[in-house]
Amino acid sequence: MPSPMLDLTDVRLELRSAAGMVNILKGISLQVEAGERVGLVGPSGSGKSSLMMLMGGLERQTGGQVRVAGYDLSTLDEDGLARFRRDNVGIVFQNFHLVPTMTALENVALPAEFAGRDDAFELAAEGLKAVGLGHRLEHYPGQLSGGEQQRCALARALVVGPKLVLADEPTGNLDTETGQQVIALLFDLARRQGTTLILITHDNALAERCDRIVRLADGRIVEDRTTAALAAAQ
Amino acid sequence: MRGFLPLTQFLPLKLARRELRGGARGFRILIACLMLGVGTIASVQSLSRDVLGGIDSQGRTLLGGDLAVRMMYHGVDADQLKALDGYGAVSASADLRGMARTEDAGKSTLVEVKAVDDAYPMVGKVQLAPPADGLTLAQVFAQKGDLWGVAVDQAVLDRLGVHVGDRVKLGTLDFEIRAVIAKEPDKIGTGGFTLGPRFLIARASLPATGLEQPGSMIYYDYRILLNPGQSVPAAKAELSRRYGAAGWHVRDSRDAAPEIRNFITRLATFLTLVGLTALLVGGVGVGNAVKAYLDGRIAVIATMKCLGASGRTIAWTYLIQVMALSAVGIALGILVGAVTPWALRDVIASHLPVDVQIGFHPLGLALAALYGALIALGFSLWPIGRARSVPAGTLFRELTQPAGGRPDRVMMIATGATLAALVVLVLVTSRETIFAAGFAGGAIVAFGVLGLAARGLTALARRAGRIDSLRRRPTLRLALANLTRPGAATVSVILSLGLGLTILVAIAQVESDFRGEIQAVMPAEAPAFFFLDIQHADRDGFRKAIGEIAGVTSVETVPSLRGRIVAVHGVPAEKAIVDQRYAWVLGGDRGITYSTAMPPRSHLIAGEWWPADYHGAPEVSIAKEVMLALGLKIGDELTFNIVGRDMTAKVANVREIDWGGMGINFSLVFAPGFLEGAPQTEIATAYAPRAVEPAIERVVNKDFPDITMIGVRDALATVDGLIGQIGIAVRLTAGIALVAGTLVLAGAIAAGERRRIYDAVVLKVLGATRGTVTRAFLIEHGLLGLMAAAVAIALGSLAAWAIVVPVMDLHWRFSIIAAFGVAVIAAVITLAFGMVGTWRALGRRAAPLLRNE
């Protein structure tokens, strides 16, 4: 039986703040299979972003084990984590975070360039065409609309064909219609590449489109169900 | 070991080019700081190499020949002259000091007499001012009846109130002024510091002046133009070997003006170090600019890390950007340095007695560029190192705090290594290694102390902000909060502005103390006149004549000879030096006397003084400096060459001399019984109030025309004027460091503009008037200026004390004027920039900013 794409075992996270040590995650155990689409929901401060950061190697757990795509992330140093992300993880942010001094093509090519791919720009051009921005290759982020910027970010996240995509409120700064277009693209591309998708959202309808919903509250998983099961329960 | 270069070798270059599309606006201050510091060093390097190159290329002209032989008291004999003729063409001259007087003896002035033969000058040409510019020297000097001609410096005419065509007396001989000297080709090759203007006469006229007497302090010079095919070094070595024991001092054209050369070299070293100070201050500006730029790129850095960029890729990407823009600043500085000599060509020509050859000096410019590159690298590695450590998770937490803390170990080591390389470069390229080492150490200490002081003051300001009575004043509270908030540039502004101000305070205090000593203390204790070349036969008559003038409190006379130490226990003196700091005791002839009693203003620190009726073997009393130079002890045997003859004497005692009183004193005093028969003159001092000085001058001019008279107060006034000029020059260079500090301040204000605009908008929304907002910002900047001034006054005064008391051995007085002046300068600078920043902030409309929030 193939190992899960994500295997979190009793993961704890404590962080130091001005008020002292804060328990962010209090023993999370979660397994996600390859190709699954998981909606991560919960109120503010429940630990969603922290959990996503652990999955992406952007934060180190205080206790427990985090295995992603077969890697035990605690064994990797900073550069090792960077290489891990480069080869395996795509991230989509709420605020897009495109580099303002680079064109759409250059932004999308970045992960492939970091990976040393000679065909980085060819891959980037294909990725932009796949998201409907084939005619905006040389435009700068400042020249793109919000939806176009997020589609560009989407192309960047998927350009090297990562095994895992982490999307943190990808439609948070978009109007409803544009957001739906972006989500449709995200789901479609992820399905086609067989990419595992972890999606943080406050939008219940959007969460329902995922295969599974994991609900966090106060640093713990309080609900973990498939959406088909919910429909069946209703 | 993993390579330092990232795996994808050229990717950081591509990323850097893309990033720079955003423009270099944030780097204007960085470019300006580097341009200023590099430009200063490059200018100094270019100018000094031009001047030194001029001295080197004109060695023959400056010396007046290939070789110059100098003797004192007497010239060469006929056989020796014949020997010199065998080397090539010879020109003989005599140099001495004398008193030029008006016909009625009403006015007199000290002059530097040069009596030249028909062959002079063998190289170059004496240029005479119009209308005499068409005359030859032979025509100027020609004897018409009993009247010889003289060419003089303009200063002689000014001081005596005479004109071309008038008569003046030198000694007992009348001269007609026939020309004014515009340029003397070998003036600086003759010697160093001179007190009087030039009085150029024919050699044949000197005996008739009555000044050429046995024991008179006259230098006899023989300039030689070697026959073709002769080697200068070989000829010099041969002459030194054959006649060195006869007291001949031989120089060659390769080192024609050592005093000027040393002065220019030292000045260049000093000014280069000042330029380096400005560059160091500019380095703070570089660091601030890089930090501000990187703070604005945190999101991009974190994004690239999320996308898989390694720390090395990040570091290289931003290092390439910083160094590329630094190269622009360095290049502009090099351009300034290359052009400066051309721009100052006329100024240099009017102030230096040597033709300067303006040229292009790639080595000097390269050195300046290297300094600039090391500074840029050294001050940018730290913020780049911190930025490289920005966690990728920053984006998820939406952190807006800039990168803080220390960079990783690699970057800290790289920073240290770069700054160490800078120190090594300073030491290796400076000819004054000890001075440069002192500068490097002093700069490190100054930065450290300034940084600590700045942090201390900031902490004090933070505490003051919590005092209840101050907290209730919103404008003061806001000002203190802005000065002490995390990320404020307060420390770096105090450090950089403070360094320039500290130098100004130190210079002002040292100059004030030194000039105060000259103007107030010294004249009170100093004699009114020194008198030279008093013949032994005239001594008693002179003492009686001067002593009888009403108001004269005392007249002292002392026998005076010239000689030098040639050996210690048979070892040549140059090889016997143990402390190079006092090697000057062997440089040239020194004044020597003999006495039964110990001279005043001296006290014994070793040995015993001989009794008044001493009749033993030759003994000598030496000054402490001589003892330190040669490591002497009581009983050591010294060999002297006095008036061309060697004699040996044992050290009987060592004296510490108080030179500050300016009375007559000698570093070498012989016991009686050995020098009385040697050719000698007397020197004398007369103590009298200023009102009596004209009466003394009249008596000497009328009855003792052969005696040279030096007015001490006039000499001190000359020195005071020189110090004033040097003080201006040094202040100008310190001003460069201050300009660099001002650039740092400008950069800090520019970096804080966004925050200032935000504050202004929010305060206006809450009901504050424009006046209230303006007051808050001005208080903030005024306090910043006062903090910088406080640090500068404290440290500058301390530095001044360290120079004045232990080094110069003078009295230190705190100068309120210097302190107040610096405080005003600091406040004006910070308030002026603060006003500009405030004006810009108040001019912004609130709505767009609030809408974005």
Side-chain angles (χ1 to χ4, degrees):
Chain A
M1 189 172 170
S3 52
M5 175 59 60
L6 279 169
D7 188 0
L8 280 59
T9 309
D10 193 29
V11 167
R12 288 180 298 284
L13 179 65
E14 290 173 9
L15 293 175
R16 186 176 293 280
S17 74
M21 295 300 284
V22 179
N23 275 332
I24 307 290
L25 299 174
K26 299 169 184 173
I28 300 277
S29 292
L30 177 68
Q31 288 185 344
V32 177
E33 301 298 329
E36 266 198 282
R37 297 172 302 183
V38 178
L40 207 53
V41 300
S44 288
S46 58
K48 303 187 299 295
S49 294
S50 298
L51 184 59
M52 181 168 276
M53 288 170 67
L54 285 176
M55 292 174 184
L58 298 166
E59 188 71 81
R60 285 192 190 275
Q61 74 275 21
T62 313
Q65 194 180 52
V66 177
R67 293 185 72 87
V68 181
Y71 289 90
D72 181 351
L73 300 192
S74 60
T75 64
L76 301 177
D77 63 10
E78 281 301 316
D79 282 348
L81 287 171
R83 284 192 290 273
F84 157 75
R85 281 194 296 276
R86 181 187 73 194
D87 297 334
N88 298 284
V89 182
I91 305 177
V92 183
F93 302 97
Q94 179 177 351
N95 290 326
F96 326 137
H97 286 306
L98 297 175
V99 181
T101 55
M102 297 187 198
T103 63
L105 186 67
E106 288 165 344
N107 264 285
V108 174
L110 271 177
E113 288 183 290
F114 291 145
R117 296 282 295 259
D118 292 332
D119 58 346
F121 279 80
E122 287 76 17
L123 284 173
E126 281 172 26
L128 281 166
K129 283 185 193 135
V131 298
L133 290 176
H135 61 300
R136 306 284 256 171
L137 299 184
E138 299 303 328
H139 285 78
Y140 289 91
Q143 295 169 311
L144 302 175
S145 68
E148 287 171 335
Q149 288 187 57
Q150 194 60 296
R151 280 191 275 159
C152 183
L154 197 55
R156 185 179 65 184
L158 293 166
V159 69
V160 294
K163 299 189 178 78
L164 174 66
V165 166
L166 306 173
D168 183 7
E169 299 271 13
T171 59
N173 279 346
L174 303 173
D175 59 83
T176 311
E177 187 184 337
T178 309
Q180 284 175 354
Q181 289 169 4
V182 167
I183 287 298
L185 263 176
L186 173 61
F187 275 52
D188 182 46
L189 291 169
R191 179 183 55 77
R192 285 199 221 176
Q193 292 184 17
T195 306
T196 306
L197 174 65
I198 308 294
L199 173 68
I200 291 179
T201 182
H202 283 108
D203 185 343
N204 287 331
L206 176 54
E208 288 297 335
R209 289 176 66 173
C210 298
D211 300 321
R212 183 174 161 193
I213 291 175
V214 172
R215 187 178 300 277
L216 268 72
D218 194 28
R220 290 190 175 86
I221 294 177
V222 296
E223 185 183 6
D224 182 355
R225 60 174 175 82
T226 61
T227 52
L230 180 62
Q234 286 179 342
Chain B
M1 177 182 160
R2 275 183 288 179
F4 186 55
L5 285 175
L7 194 59
T8 319
Q9 207 162 355
F10 298 105
L11 181 58
L13 187 57
K14 291 187 203 173
L15 295 175
R17 276 211 310 264
R18 295 174 199 170
E19 282 269 81
L20 282 174
R21 288 178 195 152
R25 194 158 174 263
F27 285 97
R28 282 184 296 195
I29 295 294
L30 179 149
I31 291 171
C33 285
L34 287 170
M35 179 180 162
L36 177 69
V38 171
T40 302
I41 297 173
S43 298
V44 168
Q45 289 290 316
S46 295
L47 278 167
S48 63
R49 283 164 200 254
D50 284 337
V51 173
L52 290 174
I55 292 175
D56 286 340
S57 66
Q58 295 159 59
R60 273 176 121 217
T61 306
L62 295 174
L63 190 66
D66 295 311
L67 294 173
V69 174
R70 170 164 273 205
M71 302 175 68
M72 196 173 192
Y73 292 125
H74 60 82
V76 299
D77 60 32
D79 287 336
Q80 289 168 337
L81 185 58
K82 197 171 166 194
L84 289 180
D85 284 337
Y87 286 90
V90 178
S91 169
S93 65
D95 273 41
L96 64 153
R97 288 197 182 110
M99 298 299 291
R101 306 184 314 281
T102 51
E103 272 195 282
D104 61 358
K107 282 187 184 176
S108 62
T109 184
L110 180 70
V111 291
E112 301 283 344
V113 179
K114 188 167 177 177
V116 298
D117 63 7
D118 296 337
Y120 176 87
M122 291 195 294
V123 187
K125 189 175 181 297
V126 175
Q127 290 175 15
L128 302 173
D133 49 330
L135 297 177
T136 63
L137 282 182
Q139 289 169 321
V140 170
F141 298 150
Q143 187 181 16
K144 297 173 185 173
D146 289 334
L147 195 58
W148 288 87
V150 62
V152 298
D153 279 343
Q154 178 66 39
V156 174
L157 306 185
D158 299 336
R159 292 181 191 184
L160 294 180
V162 295
H163 304 90
V164 173
D166 288 345
R167 289 191 187 197
V168 290
K169 274 178 133 39
L170 180 73
T172 54
L173 191 61
D174 284 349
F175 287 86
E176 182 183 43
I177 299 175
R178 295 194 185 138
V180 173
I181 301 169
K183 190 166 179 178
E184 187 183 334
D186 58 338
K187 185 168 187 176
I188 63 171
T190 311
F193 180 69
T194 56
L195 279 174
R198 176 64 78 209
F199 197 91
L200 192 65
I201 61 174
R203 181 69 181 87
S205 64
L206 185 60
T209 63
L211 298 179
E212 200 169 9
Q213 301 288 341
S216 295
M217 204 153 58
I218 301 177
Y219 290 98
Y220 293 88
D221 293 313
Y222 299 87
R223 292 174 180 81
I224 306 169
L225 261 186
L226 292 175
N227 293 325
Q230 285 216 314
S231 146
V232 169
K236 179 185 177 184
E238 195 177 303
L239 272 173
S240 300
R241 199 173 50 247
R242 279 173 74 178
Y243 299 107
W248 289 24
H249 182 52
V250 185
R251 281 190 300 145
D252 69 65
S253 54
R254 293 170 301 169
D255 192 17
E259 296 86 1
I260 299 291
R261 163 173 279 284
N262 285 343
F263 172 73
I264 297 292
T265 304
R266 285 211 171 111
L267 188 63
T269 298
F270 172 72
L271 292 177
T272 299
L273 293 176
V274 171
L276 201 52
T277 303
L279 202 53
L280 275 173
V281 173
V284 176
V286 166
N288 284 353
V290 172
K291 180 179 176 305
Y293 177 67
L294 292 172
D295 285 347
R297 311 303 287 167
I298 284 180
V300 170
I301 294 168
T303 300
M304 288 205 279
K305 281 201 162 183
C306 284
L307 299 176
S310 66
R312 285 197 198 99
T313 301
I314 301 291
W316 275 107
T317 299
Y318 288 97
L319 190 60
I320 289 170
Q321 290 177 61
V322 169
M323 294 312 292
L325 289 165
S326 297
V328 173
I330 291 169
L332 288 172
I334 295 300
L335 188 62
V336 166
V339 163
T340 296
W342 297 95
L344 296 179
R345 192 179 196 169
D346 292 338
V347 172
I348 298 167
S350 65
H351 280 80
L352 280 179
V354 60
D355 290 332
V356 173
Q357 295 172 346
I358 309 288
F360 179 69
H361 302 283
L363 274 181
L365 298 177
L367 180 63
L370 189 54
Y371 278 132
L374 286 172
I375 287 285
L377 191 64
F379 280 85
S380 56
L381 281 174
W382 190 280
I384 288 174
R386 291 212 300 223
R388 136 178 162 145
S389 306
V390 167
T394 295
L395 294 178
F396 283 90
R397 299 203 184 284
E398 292 190 17
L399 290 173
T400 55
Q401 288 297 325
R406 289 183 189 167
D408 61 31
R409 203 169 49 158
V410 168
M411 284 307 213
M412 286 172 64
I413 290 173
T415 302
T418 306
L419 295 175
L422 182 66
V423 171
V424 168
L425 187 65
V426 168
L427 294 177
V428 162
T429 57
S430 170
R431 293 184 201 196
E432 304 279 336
T433 312
I434 295 176
F435 182 57
F439 166 82
I444 293 168
V445 168
F447 261 71
V449 171
L450 275 169
L452 279 173
R455 282 185 175 80
L457 270 179
T458 307
L460 214 60
R462 194 174 293 120
R463 282 196 150 186
R466 293 187 203 127
I467 296 172
D468 204 47
S469 58
L470 296 179
R471 288 183 77 172
R472 291 174 192 278
R473 298 166 187 265
T475 50
L476 185 57
R477 189 171 75 241
L478 179 63
L480 288 172
N482 281 338
L483 285 173
T484 59
R485 63 180 172 79
T490 307
V491 170
S492 64
V493 168
I494 291 175
L495 193 153
S496 50
L497 204 60
L499 188 61
L501 292 171
T502 298
I503 297 173
L504 279 182
V505 169
I507 291 167
Q509 298 252 20
V510 169
E511 192 186 356
S512 165
D513 288 338
F514 191 65
R515 292 177 88 171
E517 193 85 10
I518 289 175
Q519 287 165 4
V521 177
M522 285 189 185
E525 300 170 357
F529 289 97
F530 278 92
F531 302 95
L532 310 177
D533 295 324
I534 304 170
Q535 295 300 313
H536 195 69
D538 292 333
R539 183 190 64 187
D540 293 338
F542 174 82
R543 285 173 72 163
K544 185 168 181 291
I546 302 301
E548 284 175 350
I549 297 173
V552 171
T553 52
S554 75
V555 179
E556 293 175 14
T557 59
V558 175
S560 169
L561 304 90
R562 305 285 291 184
R564 63 187 197 284
I565 301 170
V566 294
V568 180
H569 285 301
V571 174
E574 313 78 60
K575 295 194 170 111
I577 297 260
V578 299
D579 191 338
Q580 286 294 336
R581 288 176 298 168
Y582 300 99
W584 52 266
V585 303
L586 294 185
D589 290 341
R590 310 219 62 77
I592 293 177
T593 190
Y594 53 90
S595 177
T596 53
M598 189 164 70
R601 288 174 294 278
S602 298
H603 67 272
L604 288 180
I605 59 173
E608 307 251 335
W609 194 260
W610 44 76
D613 59 350
Y614 180 79
H615 285 299
E619 287 196 335
V620 64
S621 168
I622 62 173
K624 186 174 102 173
E625 292 82 0
V626 178
M627 176 191 77
L628 293 172
L630 298 168
L632 297 171
K633 43 187 193 315
I634 305 300
D636 280 347
E637 202 173 80
L638 294 175
T639 304
F640 300 84
N641 184 279
I642 302 175
V643 202
R645 290 175 61 182
D646 283 355
M647 63 172 293
T648 302
K650 284 197 175 159
V651 175
N653 57 69
V654 182
R655 288 168 294 129
E656 181 144 27
I657 303 171
D658 174 19
W659 298 103
M662 296 195 73
I664 300 177
N665 225 313
F666 289 79
S667 52
L668 299 167
V669 179
F670 277 72
F674 311 103
L675 295 179
E676 283 79 346
Q680 60 194 259
T681 58
E682 303 267 333
I683 61 175
T685 54
Y687 289 79
R690 196 177 185 103
V692 178
E693 288 179 15
I696 298 174
E697 285 184 40
R698 277 196 295 276
V699 167
V700 173
N701 285 339
K702 179 169 164 292
D703 297 332
F704 302 97
D706 301 341
I707 291 176
T708 301
M709 181 169 52
I710 300 172
V712 172
R713 288 195 182 88
D714 289 340
L716 288 176
T718 303
V719 171
D720 185 62
L722 273 174
I723 290 167
Q725 287 182 350
I726 293 171
I728 291 172
V730 176
R731 275 197 191 79
L732 278 174
T733 51
I736 292 173
L738 193 58
V739 169
T742 306
L743 283 173
V744 174
L745 171 66
I749 287 178
E753 185 177 356
R754 194 179 162 84
R755 185 263 311 160
R756 200 171 305 110
I757 291 170
Y758 177 84
D759 286 350
V761 163
V762 171
L763 288 173
K764 284 199 293 187
V765 165
L766 295 175
T769 63
R770 291 159 67 92
T772 303
V773 175
T774 304
R775 262 198 313 279
F777 288 157
L778 290 182
I779 290 173
E780 176 188 340
H781 289 101
L783 280 175
L784 188 61
L786 286 176
M787 286 159 84
V791 169
I793 289 167
L795 291 178
S797 300
L798 187 63
W801 177 90
I803 295 169
V804 167
V805 176
V807 176
M808 296 172 83
D809 195 22
L810 297 175
H811 299 292
W812 179 80
R813 284 170 286 268
F814 178 72
S815 170
I816 292 179
I817 293 174
F820 182 69
V822 160
V824 167
I825 291 171
V828 165
I829 291 173
T830 51
L831 282 173
F833 279 88
M835 272 306 303
V836 171
T838 302
W839 177 75
R840 287 167 70 100
L842 286 176
R844 296 289 287 261
R845 289 174 54 234
L849 187 63
L850 294 171
R851 199 174 296 127
N852 284 340
E853 286 292 309

